Amino acid sequence: MSQSTLFTPLRVGALELPNRIVMAPLTRMRASSDGSPTKLTVEYYKQRASAGLIITEGTAISVQGQGYPNAPGIYTAEQIAAWREVTDAVHTNGGRIVMQLAHNGRNSHSSLHADGSLPVSSSAIPPNGPVLTSSFQQVPAEIPRALERAEVSRIIHSYRDAALNAVAAGFDGVELQGANSHLIEQFLETGTNQRTDSYGGPIQNRARFLLEIVDEVTNAIGADRLGVRLSPFGQYGGISDAAPFELFKYVIVELSSRKIAYLHLIEARGSEMGLTDELHADAVNNVGLFRSSFDGPFISAAAYTPESAAIAVESGAVDAIAFGRLFIANPDLPTRISLRAPLNKYNRATFYGGGADGYIDYPTLAGLE
Ligand SMILES: Cc1cc2nc3c(=O)[nH]c(=O)nc-3n(C[C@H](O)[C@H](O)[C@H](O)COP(=O)(O)O)c2cc1C
């Protein structure tokens, strides 16, 4: 097995990636209180510009979409200007970067919304775990408010506006956060969606929210600058579906026909949010189940090592691998993989919140010399 396959170029929509090592979206909760990335954020992404593609942390499309304390947004002029410094730094250092657009729906908390409003979802069903307040306190989740029909249309337009804002901030494209129990998945799955209008009920209705967003964003910035992330069989936040294979098969075939730039699937064997190091050994294999339904670049994530990534790409099963935790700890991950050099270990205690510590101070190989 050779690592070299990971270093062959790959066309992904409008982008040409020089390697197949993708930086997975990673929420770090270090934005300023107005949702703008900081100078530390600029440095953090700049350090990782050698990735074939950087996907940013989940970034809120609106105040209502905010789901975590000190998570960034892309809905104000200040945020757009601050993100422009990030994209400039990545591009100047030879990289490519797309923004993950997120609406956290029911996993949010009212303290994260300036007007104190409740989190929203497809239906008034709370997640099963705790959520974080604006001051990083873990509290029981609130019962979300079910969205009105007219609000659903407004949110779809917010995704479009956020995609236009991302392009205005210099991003090479956007990725829709359709995974990890965010609002899009809360529409997709029966355990969260009990609506009786055209956005609930049969699979075609539950998929409508995602597909209308895809169509709006495509009209705004082009399908070749749009990727979608999904986590079939994921369980984060207690999300569940009565027939996940049929659901995701339908969704992925629809995405394929829309010729989006890439599909990004999280394997169910890993922890969706990297919250633990444990693996679900008996989990289904999403690549095996869904790869053949998508005609286009396919990125796979969760619990890959450099070795298993090379095997997956070399076998032709996937086109690229997204690394999460390894990219947190190894800013020069592609170099380390190509040299088979030892990897820095990540420090879970500094994943979320704080400052430079555990963010921009992991050493590169060059820095160790
Ligand atoms: C600190 C942390 C933050 C994460 N934030 C996001 C996020 O904002 N959006 C997302 O889709 N996934 C997020 N994830 C999931 C990762 O993108 C990835 O799928 C997961 O860590 C499994 O990959 P790994 O085994 O390579 O770490 C996060 C994971 C971690 C560890």
Side-chain angles (χ1 to χ4, degrees):
M1 185 270 307
S2 133
Q3 314 280 67
S4 61
T5 326
L6 293 174
F7 294 89
T8 54
L10 176 67
R11 175 147 287 273
V12 172
L15 299 177
E16 181 82 7
L17 314 189
N19 65 59
R20 287 139 187 270
I21 299 169
V22 173
M23 179 176 171
L26 292 159
T27 290
R28 306 301 308 273
M29 302 186 203
R30 284 166 164 89
S32 58
S33 54
D34 73 350
S36 294
T38 67
K39 301 288 177 210
L40 291 181
T41 318
V42 175
E43 179 62 22
Y44 166 73
Y45 284 113
K46 177 181 151 189
Q47 289 176 349
R48 288 156 179 79
S50 64
L53 178 67
I54 295 174
I55 305 169
T56 69
E57 60 213 275
T59 303
I61 61 163
S62 61
V63 178
Q64 184 195 63
Q66 288 284 6
Y68 307 112
N70 294 97
I74 187 71
Y75 49 86
T76 70
E78 291 74 21
Q79 292 163 355
I80 295 170
W83 278 114
R84 167 59 80 172
E85 293 188 37
V86 172
T87 60
D88 282 349
V90 170
H91 290 146
T92 303
N93 285 274
R96 294 136 301 280
I97 182 167
V98 298
M99 170 172 270
Q100 190 185 57
L101 299 182
H103 188 308
N104 221 318
R106 69 178 192 165
N107 302 311
S108 185
H109 187 264
S110 51
S111 64
L112 296 167
H113 306 151
D115 59 359
S117 58
L118 278 175
V120 297
S121 188
S122 49
S123 300
I125 303 169
N128 68 2
V131 296
L132 285 177
T133 68
S134 59
S135 53
F136 286 84
Q137 301 300 310
Q138 274 207 346
V139 296
E142 298 157 309
I143 297 177
R145 184 175 63 75
L147 287 162
E148 305 283 340
R149 174 72 183 73
E151 292 176 290
V152 175
S153 302
R154 284 204 289 277
I155 293 175
I156 292 167
H157 291 144
S158 298
Y159 275 97
R160 176 202 58 202
D161 295 345
L164 288 168
N165 288 347
V167 170
F171 283 95
D172 298 305
V174 300
E175 173 179 282
L176 297 179
Q177 167 58 302
N180 294 349
S181 187
H182 279 57
L183 184 63
I184 289 174
E185 200 176 32
Q186 292 163 32
F187 270 85
L188 287 176
E189 304 211 1
T190 52
T192 33
N193 183 344
Q194 297 184 356
R195 300 178 72 89
T196 52
D197 63 7
S198 60
Y199 291 94
I203 286 175
Q204 289 79 350
N205 282 2
R206 283 181 277 122
R208 190 180 309 281
F209 181 61
L210 167 60
L211 296 176
E212 288 187 357
I213 295 168
V214 167
D215 292 341
E216 280 285 338
V217 172
T218 295
N219 287 339
I221 68 166
D224 60 351
R225 295 192 181 275
L226 169 62
V228 174
R229 190 173 216 215
L230 300 171
S231 50
F233 298 92
Q235 297 169 17
Y236 181 66
I239 196 136
S240 66
D241 188 74
F245 175 71
E246 289 75 10
L247 167 68
F248 283 100
K249 171 115 180 155
Y250 172 82
V251 168
I252 290 168
V253 167
E254 287 292 317
L255 292 175
S256 185
S257 73
R258 285 165 168 80
K259 306 219 172 311
I260 58 171
Y262 68 86
L263 178 67
H264 184 180
L265 289 197
I266 304 179
E267 278 301 328
R269 67 169 173 261
S271 149
E272 293 95 327
M273 294 292 283
L275 293 180
T276 74
D277 293 328
E278 286 163 25
L279 295 183
H280 310 300
D282 54 349
V284 295
N285 175 344
N286 282 333
V287 171
L289 286 179
F290 299 113
R291 197 325 157 213
S292 61
S293 301
F294 187 76
D295 183 18
F298 188 103
I299 303 174
S300 180
Y304 281 96
T305 62
E307 292 73 27
S308 64
I311 290 169
V313 172
E314 195 157 272
S315 74
V318 304
D319 297 304
I321 301 294
F323 292 95
R325 289 164 290 174
L326 294 187
F327 247 120
I328 287 179
N330 296 276
D332 55 347
L333 186 62
T335 303
R336 287 178 189 253
I337 291 177
S338 74
L339 297 176
R340 296 175 191 264
L343 301 177
N344 297 324
K345 298 216 179 327
Y346 49 82
N347 177 7
R348 194 171 280 288
T350 52
F351 276 1
Y352 299 118
D357 185 20
Y359 194 42
I360 57 162
D361 57 356
Y362 285 106
T364 59
L365 281 178
L368 288 171
E369 280 166 10

